Structure formats: structure tokens, C-alpha cells
């Protein structure tokens, strides 16, 4: 089992609220990722980080922001939630440079509903 | 052209059947390959790595064909519990991950 955690698991919130989705891992992985996935649809990479103080935007444009102050922690923030942000948000981590057998491990996800 | 392409399915097969999925990749410099399983409304979980020599884990066999740039997953003696979406993952030089869109499998009693 992967040691990567996300909170909250479920969140229902009103439009305009600021929210932060938490992600932490205890595997010492340098690289972390945030994906957005709608039901039955593919994963979309929205942010990633190579390590502390590194953040990059992914393939899918997102109104969210991320920070990486500690290796184990990679929170995602939405300043003003909208119904279009309703989705599942998955956090993942991997070692910085992959060798044979190294891959990404996913947290359980946060299912966000914005009313 | 996408880096990784999968037939989305759905594949509906009876219990006990053998089913195979393919996944093609476009970059010949791809280094590592994996299959993940994702249950409905859950996170993707690593199923198995894919090596050039092929590898087997119980009823599951994964193979890599570098010449034709595809990987495959074979499931023998399908169980109801195998129903899920199967994602292929390709890693390029520089640690770039590319996920396929997933192939949906439903095993029918």
C-alpha cells in the first residue's frame, strides 16, 4: 500500500468559498502531482512539483494553485470555488528520477462538489 | 497525436473468458511501462510493471513490443472482481509520465 493521504475525502461547498485540498506522503518522494478526473473520464494533470519550492502547471489549465514548502506536503488551493470545479482531485507522488519499477502512487482522492 | 492510446472499450466478457488489451505509444524513447487498475470512483492502483521479457502475475500477463511500440495486458479466467478500468502508463526520458485514457472491462456472470 502506498503511503499517500488526502483530506478531506469528500467536500461539498458553496460557490465563492476558498478551499484547500491536502495531500501528504511519507515515502520521501520528491515529485508530486495533482490530477483532476471526472467520472468515467481520463486523468488530467493540473499541477506537479519536482521538489521543495518547485511547482509547475500541468497539461490542463486550472484556476487552482499549489505550494511545496515541505517535501511531504503538496496542498492545492481554490481561491473561489465554482460549480465547474466539481470533480475528483487525485494526488500522486513518485521518485524524482524513475528507474525500472518506479512509478506513481496515488492518494484516495478528494471528491469536490461546488453548489 | 496522443503519446499513449488505448481502446476505451467497453469490453463485456463472461466469467472465465480470456481478454486482452493493447496500448500503443508514440515515442520510441519511452523507458518504462506499467498497467494500473482503477475501480469506479477510486484512485488508480498499480497492477504490474511491463518488461521487455514479459511478466506474469497469476492470471495476468503483461508484454512489451518495442518494435511495434505497444504494450498488452492479458487476463485469463476472468473473475467478476476484475471489472474495472485498466490504464496503461508510459514513462519517457526525463521522468515524464503519460497515462492512457483507460479501457473499461465488465465481467458478466
Amino acid at each position: 500500500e502506498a503511503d499517500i493521504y488526502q483530506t478531506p475525502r469528500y467536500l461539498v461547498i458553496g460557490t465563492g468559498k476558498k478551499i484547500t485540498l491536502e495531500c501528504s506522503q511519507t515515502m520521501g518522494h520528491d515529485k508530486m502531482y495533482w490530477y483532476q478526473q471526472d467520472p468515467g473520464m481520463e486523468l488530467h494533470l493540473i499541477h506537479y512539483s519536482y521538489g521543495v519550492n518547485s511547482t509547475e502547471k500541468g497539461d490542463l489549465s486550472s484556476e487552482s494553485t499549489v505550494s511545496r514548502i515541505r517535501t511531504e506536503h503538496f496542498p492545492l488551493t481554490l481561491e473561489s470555488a465554482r460549480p465547474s470545479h466539481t470533480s475528483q482531485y487525485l494526488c500522486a507522488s513518485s521518485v524524482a528520477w524513475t528507474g525500472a519499477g518506479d512509478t506513481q502512487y496515488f492518494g484516495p482522492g478528494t471528491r469536490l462538489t461546488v453548489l | 497525436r496522443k503519446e499513449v492510446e488505448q481502446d476505451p472499450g467497453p469490453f463485456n466478457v463472461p466469467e472465465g473468458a480470456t481478454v486482452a488489451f493493447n496500448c500503443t505509444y508514440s515515442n520510441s524513447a519511452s523507458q518504462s511501462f506499467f498497467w494500473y487498475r482503477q475501480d469506479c470512483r477510486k484512485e488508480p492502483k498499480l497492477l504490474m510493471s511491463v518488461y521487455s521479457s514479459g511478466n506474469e502475475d497469476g492470471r495476468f500477463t503483461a508484454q512489451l513490443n518495442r518494435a511495434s511500440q505497444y504494450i498488452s495486458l492479458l487476463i485469463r479466467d476472468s473473475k467478476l472482481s476484475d471489472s474495472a478500468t485498466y490504464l496503461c502508463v508510459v514513462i519517457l526520458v526525463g521522468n515524464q509520465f503519460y497515462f492512457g485514457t483507460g479501457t473499461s472491462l465488465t465481467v458478466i456472470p
Side-chain angles (χ1 to χ4, degrees), chain B residues 54-97:
Chain B
N55 50 308
E56 190 172 309
D57 183 3
R59 298 181 293 109
F60 297 81
T61 301
Q63 292 201 308
L64 166 64
N65 185 317
R66 283 195 182 273
S68 301
Q69 294 185 199
Y70 74 86
I71 64 173
S72 64
L73 177 68
L74 181 78
I75 307 174
R76 289 181 299 277
D77 188 23
S78 300
K79 311 289 185 194
L80 297 177
S81 58
D82 293 335
S83 298
T85 296
Y86 291 84
L87 304 167
C88 66
V89 178
V90 172
I91 305 177
L92 294 181
V93 173
N95 200 33
Q96 298 175 68
F97 283 78

Side-chain angles (χ1 to χ4, degrees), chain A:
Chain A
E1 290 293 319
D3 296 322
I4 180 164
Y5 310 98
Q6 290 185 245
T7 57
R9 293 290 308 278
Y10 303 92
L11 179 62
V12 180
I13 202 164
T15 296
K17 300 291 186 184
K18 178 180 177 179
I19 58 171
T20 296
L21 308 186
E22 302 288 349
C23 176
S24 60
Q25 50 92 10
T26 57
M27 296 176 282
H29 286 169
D30 287 312
K31 203 164 178 185
M32 296 186 74
Y33 313 77
W34 275 103
Y35 292 88
Q36 187 174 341
Q37 186 180 36
D38 293 322
M41 304 298 286
E42 63 191 285
L43 290 164
H44 290 288
L45 180 67
I46 51 175
H47 297 283
Y48 61 99
S49 165
Y50 286 107
V52 171
N53 294 326
S54 152
T55 61
E56 305 285 344
K57 289 190 181 294
D59 306 320
L60 182 69
S61 173
S62 172
E63 293 161 344
S64 57
T65 59
V66 291
S67 63
R68 191 85 183 276
I69 298 171
R70 302 197 317 265
T71 298
E72 63 271 21
H73 195 214
F74 191 40
L76 180 144
T77 298
L78 276 166
E79 291 293 331
S80 179
R82 294 208 302 271
S84 60
H85 296 139
T86 295
S87 189
Q88 173 159 265
Y89 292 84
L90 289 158
C91 180
S93 71
S94 71
V95 296
W97 300 105
T98 53
D102 292 327
T103 186
Q104 289 187 22
Y105 296 92
F106 285 83
T110 293
R111 189 166 298 281
L112 172 66
T113 301
V114 184
L115 303 175

Side-chain angles (χ1 to χ4, degrees), chain B residues 3 25-31 33 66-67 69 90 92-93:
Chain B
E3 292 285 346
Y25 59 94
S26 59
N27 193 321
S28 59
S30 300
Q31 287 193 308
F33 309 86
R66 283 195 182 273
Q69 294 185 199
V90 172
L92 294 181
V93 173

